[in-house]
Amino acid sequence: MTLTDERRDFVAAIEEFCRREVGTREQWLKLTDGGDNPHNAELYRKLAELGWLGVAVPEAYGGAGQSMVDLLLFLETTAYWQAPIGGFATSAITAASYEKFGSEDQKRRVLGDFLSGTVLAVSMSEPGAGSDVGALTCKAERSAGGWVVNGQKTWCSNAHIADHILLVARTSTAGGKHDGLTMFSVPAGVDGMVVRGIDTMGGREVNDLYFTDCFLPDDAVVGEVDQGWRQLMAGLNLERMILAGLMLGTARRAFDDTVSYVRERQQFGRPVGSFQALRHRLADHATELECTRLLVHDVARQIEADPTRLLPREASMAKLKATEFAKAMALDGMQMMGGYGYATEYGMERLLRSTVVSTVYGGTSEIQRDIIGKTYGL
């Protein structure tokens, strides 16, 4: 867990920025439109101007170099301070696919837009295809000079604020269920695509996408035709680690807020944190938090040491542990804070809402356990 001086300075700079911009409840409420909007474009652009979005982009395209540890530190710290930059996670995941498989023109255009403060999104899930990616039915059929897309996608995070959407569509029914998938770069506002929001516990985050005779030119293909499954698999380390980093920071915040509260809250003439029932629960949570932090950071260092190496077991463990612990910590924090944990004034209910969905998106906890089990030949 030892950080270099440069990385300690990086974390300190992010903390100072967040403390100044989002340090009070009043600031957070203003930036999020009263808690309904998890992404503030102005704050996001400030981070872009500081060059911090570049932790997800190679130096060759103007970024800081795709350091997994630096990316993790950025995610963990901004999540701890609850900075409303909900568009960053999907942007980083999507940018990696463009960087690995996009044409030179796609890389420079899309990655350049990302670095300037725009949002990217990836659209994979459908009403009948979530964990079962091979069940995708949204079709892209060849047409003169391009492709015509028809079908519906759902649960697309940040499509309503994205400038570029990375669409995964079926281009062939030959072969196995995972064959015949292709990635397409879809610009916001293209004719034939309609974006409709889905109301959730966390506000406006996800969307349905409807494609009706939506034409995409040949140069919209990202990577190779019919090779979308292989390309998706290459990005799983990153996606799972991004979600693990976000939830590690959120879990830390839930723990610190709980400890701060029980130190001050008086009942029966003394702080409630002095009662054994709460003290022992927090001791267990502190231990789990440290285990989670060590696991997530260790996997990040392994990926940084060899970015080409797939780590299905380790990345799934990190995602599973961080999301499940964050949810448990926020829920128990609410219980230990009593009625104040339920009140919006103290923010614990906000942390709980943000952690509940983390065990579902990016591969459910059940899917992560299945992947881990399979790596042991089970």
Side-chain angles (χ1 to χ4, degrees):
M1 289 294 295
T2 302
L3 298 179
T4 63
D5 289 342
E6 184 179 7
R7 281 177 166 156
R8 280 197 295 269
D9 290 343
F10 179 51
V11 171
I14 300 169
E15 288 179 335
E16 176 56 32
F17 174 87
C18 290
R19 189 179 292 110
R20 182 178 66 250
E21 300 287 339
V22 202
T24 67
R25 180 172 179 270
E26 290 72 21
Q27 287 174 305
W28 185 85
L29 287 171
K30 183 177 180 180
L31 289 169
T32 60
D33 301 323
D36 291 336
N37 189 349
H39 182 84
N40 183 276
E42 182 180 354
L43 185 73
Y44 193 60
R45 280 193 293 271
K46 289 181 179 180
L47 291 169
E49 290 169 2
L50 289 167
W52 290 343
L53 303 188
V55 293
V57 175
E59 290 181 277
Y61 298 98
Q66 282 185 311
S67 160
M68 180 58 75
V69 174
D70 288 345
L71 176 58
L72 177 63
L73 293 172
F74 178 77
L75 291 161
E76 182 182 350
T77 307
T78 54
Y80 180 91
W81 286 94
Q82 295 293 284
I85 53 169
F88 177 76
T90 58
S91 297
I93 293 167
T94 309
S97 291
Y98 279 99
E99 189 274 322
K100 286 187 177 73
F101 305 109
S103 66
E104 196 62 28
D105 178 66
Q106 288 171 340
K107 291 177 185 179
R108 297 201 177 279
R109 178 163 40 85
V110 177
L111 298 182
D113 286 349
F114 169 42
L115 290 172
S116 69
T118 64
V119 172
L120 313 177
V122 57
S123 181
M124 183 173 64
S125 295
E126 296 179 7
S131 298
D132 185 8
V133 179
L136 295 183
T137 60
C138 181
K139 292 183 179 180
E141 299 178 306
R142 287 191 181 276
S143 181
W147 302 78
V148 175
V149 182
N150 284 283
Q152 180 186 351
K153 307 299 263 185
T154 193
W155 305 120
C156 184
S157 299
N158 299 313
H160 59 299
I161 57 173
D163 280 35
H164 304 277
I165 298 170
L166 187 63
L167 169 70
V168 183
R170 183 160 295 284
T171 47
S172 172
T173 56
K177 64 187 294 185
H178 293 124
D179 298 321
L181 302 179
T182 302
M183 290 181 171
F184 295 90
S185 182
V186 183
V190 66
D191 289 341
M193 179 180 72
V194 174
V195 179
R196 292 180 184 164
I198 301 172
D199 291 331
T200 71
M201 290 172 62
R204 180 70 189 278
E205 298 175 294
V206 293
N207 308 269
D208 285 316
L209 273 61
Y210 299 90
F211 293 90
T212 305
D213 294 333
C214 177
F215 179 78
L216 300 174
D218 279 328
D219 62 8
V221 173
V222 178
E224 298 180 45
V225 173
D226 294 340
Q227 296 300 310
W229 174 255
R230 178 183 62 81
Q231 294 171 194
L232 284 171
M233 293 303 98
L236 290 182
N237 277 355
L238 177 66
E239 180 179 13
R240 290 168 187 164
M241 291 307 297
I242 283 176
L243 300 177
L246 287 172
M247 287 303 108
L248 173 58
T250 306
R252 284 181 48 215
R253 179 61 179 264
F255 178 83
D256 286 355
D257 284 359
T258 303
V259 171
S260 178
Y261 178 85
V262 300
R263 280 175 176 163
E264 300 296 327
R265 172 66 169 167
Q266 296 273 334
Q267 287 289 277
F268 305 103
R270 58 177 178 162
V272 296
S274 67
F275 292 104
Q276 187 181 77
L278 267 64
R279 190 168 64 243
H280 283 193
R281 284 160 78 176
L282 283 166
D284 287 341
H285 285 315
T287 304
E288 286 297 302
L289 176 58
E290 189 63 14
C291 290
T292 304
R293 185 181 356 220
L294 290 169
L295 172 63
V296 174
H297 278 263
D298 179 63
V299 178
R301 291 179 188 278
Q302 290 186 58
I303 294 172
E304 183 160 287
D306 183 3
T308 65
R309 182 184 171 201
L310 291 180
L311 297 168
R313 178 190 300 171
E314 294 84 352
S316 287
M317 284 179 172
K319 198 272 183 182
L320 174 66
K321 180 66 174 176
T323 57
E324 288 289 349
F325 173 63
K327 181 170 70 172
M329 182 65 246
L331 182 60
D332 212 20
M334 177 178 285
Q335 183 71 27
M336 286 186 273
M337 290 175 67
Y340 291 104
Y342 192 65
T344 58
E345 177 184 356
Y346 282 76
M348 189 58 69
E349 56 81 30
R350 180 174 78 241
L351 298 178
L352 179 60
R353 284 189 284 115
S354 68
T355 58
V356 165
V357 72
S358 72
T359 61
V360 175
Y361 59 37
T364 64
S365 292
E366 290 74 18
I367 288 293
Q368 304 308 323
R369 292 185 178 102
D370 203 45
I371 291 168
I372 295 165
K374 286 179 178 178
T375 67
Y376 288 99
L378 302 176

